[in-house]
């Protein structure tokens, strides 16, 4: 097995692994030389699974989507696996408690929402390097329990399963791990075997927390069918300050536009920490490495230009060039020119409510500037909450129609980077 510390000395011959390593995607890699030879010889097929626990993915999953994009860009075939079957069980990896059980209707609705996130990044079709989407419920739901145990149970030992982080960490924290969840890793291994048999899929990719689960599938394929199979995981993506990628004080950075506006998505990337700009340009944009090297070498105030490039490129990939340009224009108008734009995030509030008066903390929470009214009050007390460009220390201050500007709007801002308009309706 090759780890991130060893990839620096590994010199791949295939474009696929060269790009993956150069741009910082590889944390762990199994059978590196064999995989490199396979990728060099012709198109390989690889997959990543996405459980349907919500109706949109967030930025924390974007590195996995970009893995599939890089795979396709280097001439290989991606499979997007929707976890219609595994979602019914729930992946215990990285969780202190059992995931909420969803109904079949909820899972199907979530899958419909998840599929939308992949269309801007991948080309789908029947060609040798075109992506396909499959649902693992197609085969997992047809497995009889006794059949499942007899066919796959002998290949897994409880001793080894207890050593995997997804199990070990839960037990160390003295948090319950249900028998239902304990089966998850077997189901994931079964997915890989089924995809290998149906589509000739030889590579499973995922986050570093999936390493043990992925290796189970690799070993199952090699043991049962004596076929080549490989594993590749990405490092945990955190910011320079140690925060987990994809989360902000206001919540998750969703990929679907109805969950997070293109403007807020652009603003998320614009607010990247200085030390992360080069790394994020490699991971989340298609810019060539020489251009990224130039941008990450910028210092002082000039690094803000690199952040704008990152925001424009990342937003263009997901939402299109027009949305990225509109977001950039709105941001410039609001933060550099002091003007308001129709492309700024806007919430609608009943005119009758504003006539009576709405506490500023309530309005700020509804606008997504804070996660709770208590947090909004603390933000105001610290001087971080502004109403029409004026700091308001009293979170209980009533906001009324009298606060509307000439355009009939109310401007709320948190800090220097977050603006939301309030529109009476």
């Amino acid at each position: 097995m090759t780890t991130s510390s060893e990839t620096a000395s590994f010199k791949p011959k295939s474009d696929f692994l060269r790009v993956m390593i150069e741009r910082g995607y590889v944390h762990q890699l199994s059978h590196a030389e064999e995989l490199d030879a396979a990728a060099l010889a012709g198109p390989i097929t690889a997959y990543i699974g996405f459980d349907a626990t919500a109706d949109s993915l967030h930025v924390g999953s974007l590195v996995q989507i970009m893995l599939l994009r890089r795979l396709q860009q280097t001439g290989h075939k991606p499979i997007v696996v929707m976890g219609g079957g595994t979602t019914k069980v729930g992946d215990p990896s990285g969780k202190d408690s059992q995931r909420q059980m969803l109904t079949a209707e909820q899972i199907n609705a979530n899958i419909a929402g998840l599929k939308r996130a992949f269309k801007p990044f991948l080309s789908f079709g029947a060609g040798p390097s075109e992506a396909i989407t499959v649902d693992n419920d197609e085969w997992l739901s047809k497995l009889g329990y006794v059949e499942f145990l007899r066919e796959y149970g002998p290949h897994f030992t409880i001793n080894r399963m207890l050593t995997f982080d997804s199990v070990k960490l839960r037990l160390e924290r003295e948090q319950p791990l249900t028998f239902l969840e304990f089966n998850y890793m077997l189901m994931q291994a079964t997915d890989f075997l089924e995809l290998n048999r149906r589509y000739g899929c030889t590579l499973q990719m995922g986050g570093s927390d999936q390493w043990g689960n992925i290796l189970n599938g690799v070993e199952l394929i090699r043991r049962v069918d004596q076929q080549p199979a490989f594993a590749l995981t990405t490092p945990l993506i955190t910011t320079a300050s140690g925060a987990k990628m994809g989360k902000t004080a206001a919540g998750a950075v969703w990929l679907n536009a109805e969950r997070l506006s293109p403007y807020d998505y652009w603003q998320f990337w614009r607010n990247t920490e200085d030390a992360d700009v080069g790394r994020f340009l490699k991971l989340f944009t298609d810019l060539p490495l020489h251009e990224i090297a130039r941008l990450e070498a910028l210092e002082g105030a000039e690094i803000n230009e690199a952040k704008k490039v990152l925001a424009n490129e990342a937003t263009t990939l997901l939402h299109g060039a027009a949305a990225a340009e509109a977001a950039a224009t709105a941001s410039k108008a609001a933060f550099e020119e002091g003007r308001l734009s129709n492309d700024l995030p806007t919430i609608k509030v009943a005119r009758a409510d504003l006539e009576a008066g709405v506490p500023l903390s309530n309005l700020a929470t509804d606008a997504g500037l804070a996660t709770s009214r208590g947090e909004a009050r603390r933000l105001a007390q610290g001087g971080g909450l502004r109403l029409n460009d004026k700091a308001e220390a009293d979170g209980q201050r009533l906001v009324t129609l009298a606060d509307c500007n000439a355009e009939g709007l109310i401007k709320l801002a948190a800090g220097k980077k977050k603006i939301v308009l309030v529109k009476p309706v």
Side-chain angles (χ1 to χ4, degrees), residues 260-267 322-335 339-347 409 419-421:
L260 187 78
S261 71
Y263 173 86
D264 283 329
Y265 188 76
W266 188 96
Q267 204 64 44
E325 183 178 354
T329 300
S331 180
K332 181 179 181 181
F335 294 106
R339 297 185 295 105
L340 298 184
S341 164
N342 291 332
D343 291 304
L344 286 171
T346 303
I347 64 167
L409 300 170
I419 295 175
V420 176
L421 301 181

Side-chain angles (χ1 to χ4, degrees), residues 167-202:
V167 174
K168 186 170 62 175
L169 294 178
R170 182 82 71 85
L171 297 179
E172 287 176 353
R173 293 169 183 164
E174 297 185 353
Q175 298 288 343
L177 178 72
T178 66
F179 181 70
L180 180 72
E181 296 171 285
F182 198 59
N183 280 273
Y184 188 93
M185 62 183 74
L186 276 70
M187 297 174 72
Q188 187 169 333
T190 304
D191 279 350
F192 198 177
L193 178 64
E194 191 69 27
L195 291 165
N196 183 267
R197 289 173 174 175
R198 292 186 180 210
Y199 304 104
C201 180
T202 56

Side-chain angles (χ1 to χ4, degrees), residues 171-353:
L171 297 179
E172 287 176 353
R173 293 169 183 164
E174 297 185 353
Q175 298 288 343
L177 178 72
T178 66
F179 181 70
L180 180 72
E181 296 171 285
F182 198 59
N183 280 273
Y184 188 93
M185 62 183 74
L186 276 70
M187 297 174 72
Q188 187 169 333
T190 304
D191 279 350
F192 198 177
L193 178 64
E194 191 69 27
L195 291 165
N196 183 267
R197 289 173 174 175
R198 292 186 180 210
Y199 304 104
C201 180
T202 56
L203 172 63
Q204 183 182 171
M205 304 184 290
S208 58
D209 62 333
Q210 295 294 312
W211 179 246
N213 289 359
I214 295 175
L215 281 185
N216 274 335
V218 169
E219 293 169 3
L220 184 65
I221 291 169
R222 287 176 175 263
R223 189 180 301 127
V224 174
D225 287 354
Q226 292 80 51
Q227 293 295 319
F230 313 101
L232 186 156
T233 63
T234 59
L236 175 66
I237 306 299
T238 58
T239 65
S241 60
K244 189 174 181 181
M245 183 73 177
K247 300 284 186 179
T248 69
V253 181
W254 299 103
L255 299 186
N256 287 8
E258 67 273 10
R259 297 290 297 267
L260 187 78
S261 71
Y263 173 86
D264 283 329
Y265 188 76
W266 188 96
Q267 204 64 44
F268 167 78
W269 295 107
R270 169 62 181 82
N271 294 334
T272 295
E273 296 179 38
D274 292 1
D276 290 326
V277 172
R279 183 163 58 104
F280 287 0
L281 283 167
K282 291 177 183 177
L283 291 171
F284 301 113
T285 80
D286 286 343
L287 286 180
L289 293 179
H290 67 82
E291 175 63 9
I292 293 173
R294 183 189 71 80
L295 289 168
E296 67 180 334
L298 297 176
E299 297 179 350
E302 289 186 329
I303 194 66
N304 289 323
E305 296 308 310
K307 293 180 183 181
K308 291 176 184 178
V309 172
L310 170 61
N312 287 334
E313 293 293 324
T315 305
T316 295
L317 278 178
L318 178 61
H319 295 297
E325 183 178 354
T329 300
S331 180
K332 181 179 181 181
F335 294 106
E336 298 178 24
E337 301 169 359
R339 297 185 295 105
L340 298 184
S341 164
N342 291 332
D343 291 304
L344 286 171
T346 303
I347 64 167
K348 296 179 180 179
V349 178
R351 182 173 293 273
D353 291 342

Side-chain angles (χ1 to χ4, degrees), residues 42-92:
I44 61 171
T45 300
Y47 92 95
I48 300 177
F50 299 86
D51 279 351
T53 53
D55 62 1
S56 173
L57 296 172
H58 58 67
V59 164
S61 298
L62 187 57
V63 71
Q64 308 306 328
I65 299 176
M66 293 301 294
L67 272 183
L68 295 172
R69 182 175 176 85
R70 301 294 181 226
L71 177 82
Q72 188 169 63
Q73 287 174 333
T74 51
H76 305 285
K77 187 176 186 69
I79 299 179
V80 179
V81 175
M82 295 285 104
T86 42
T87 304
K88 295 175 180 177
V89 171
D91 182 4

Side-chain angles (χ1 to χ4, degrees), residues 150-170:
R150 284 179 60 86
E151 186 166 353
Y152 304 111
H155 302 291
F156 300 90
T157 67
I158 297 296
N159 312 59
R160 186 152 186 263
M161 291 168 74
L162 288 173
T163 68
F164 291 138
D165 285 345
S166 59
V167 174
K168 186 170 62 175
L169 294 178
R170 182 82 71 85

